[in-house]
Amino acid sequence: MIEGIKVVIRQLELGDEELLHKWRNSSKGNEYCGFNHGFLISKEAYRLSIQNEIESSNVFPEEKTFIICKKDNLEPIGDVSYRSWDKRNRSAEFGIEIGDIVDRGQGYGLDTLYHFFDYLYNYLNLNRVELKTLTNNISAFKLYEKLGFKKIGYIREKSFNSMTGQYTDVLYMDLLRREWEEIKPTI
């Protein structure tokens, strides 16, 4: 378990498929990524995915998802993950979702990522963390900038937004371990 100031980040458990299904299939909750019908993934598919992750004996899997809970009452509010872990080059991509809209903008994302990055840099011994986000996801961009991420490029019209019927550019950002160590005390 990873403990922050406002959040606790825990392992996936059977039953979390209910949460993932609800969060990822919410049209309102997925506006930031342009899916006006959500991800359209079944509850059973989430359950099987969670079961596979739980049953794996791999201590250092290439990808892993965690549940974000409010620290005061352990209410699940989102998920955070790493994927595409390149062990040789010591890099990985991360993703975060605060599932319920009412919990967004409350500082849970900042607290989660602050402590999750410590986990990634120290436990997985990463040198670089990367992300991609839609260019119109302004609140995410501001959060990533606050955490020290640097823009490294754009891919033009990479993502189709089913809400607007238009293509959106995707922004790529990264954060090196040495940059994290410099900015971490100021956050």
Side-chain angles (χ1 to χ4, degrees), residues 68-179:
I68 305 164
C69 299
K70 291 180 182 178
K71 189 172 182 178
D72 59 356
N73 61 10
L74 298 181
E75 174 192 350
I77 58 167
D79 62 277
V80 64
S81 62
Y82 69 84
R83 57 190 164 272
S84 305
W85 180 17
D86 181 341
K87 294 174 185 171
R88 182 181 186 283
N89 295 305
R90 298 176 36 218
S91 68
E93 182 179 349
F94 83 93
I96 184 171
E97 174 184 26
I98 302 299
D100 290 320
I101 297 168
V102 296
D103 293 316
R104 294 180 184 173
Q106 306 295 317
Y108 296 120
L110 176 63
D111 190 41
T112 296
L113 292 179
Y114 183 90
H115 291 89
F116 191 64
F117 292 156
D118 257 5
Y119 165 81
L120 294 176
Y121 288 120
N122 296 312
Y123 189 73
L124 299 184
N125 195 29
L126 295 184
N127 181 56
R128 183 174 164 277
V129 176
E130 63 186 57
L131 68 89
K132 56 185 175 238
T133 186
L134 299 180
T135 54
N136 61 358
N137 191 351
I138 305 301
S139 59
F141 172 74
K142 287 180 181 178
L143 173 62
Y144 302 144
E145 234 182 11
K146 183 175 186 171
L147 289 162
F149 277 83
K150 308 285 188 260
K151 295 179 196 175
I152 56 173
Y154 293 89
I155 296 187
R156 298 177 311 135
E157 297 185 5
K158 166 105 169 121
S159 180
F160 179 72
N161 184 329
S162 61
M163 295 178 132
T164 64
Q166 298 177 346
Y167 287 91
T168 305
D169 296 347
V170 173
L171 170 64
Y172 285 74
M173 301 177 84
D174 72 359
L175 178 63
L176 302 177
R177 181 184 195 132
R178 63 181 157 74
E179 295 167 336

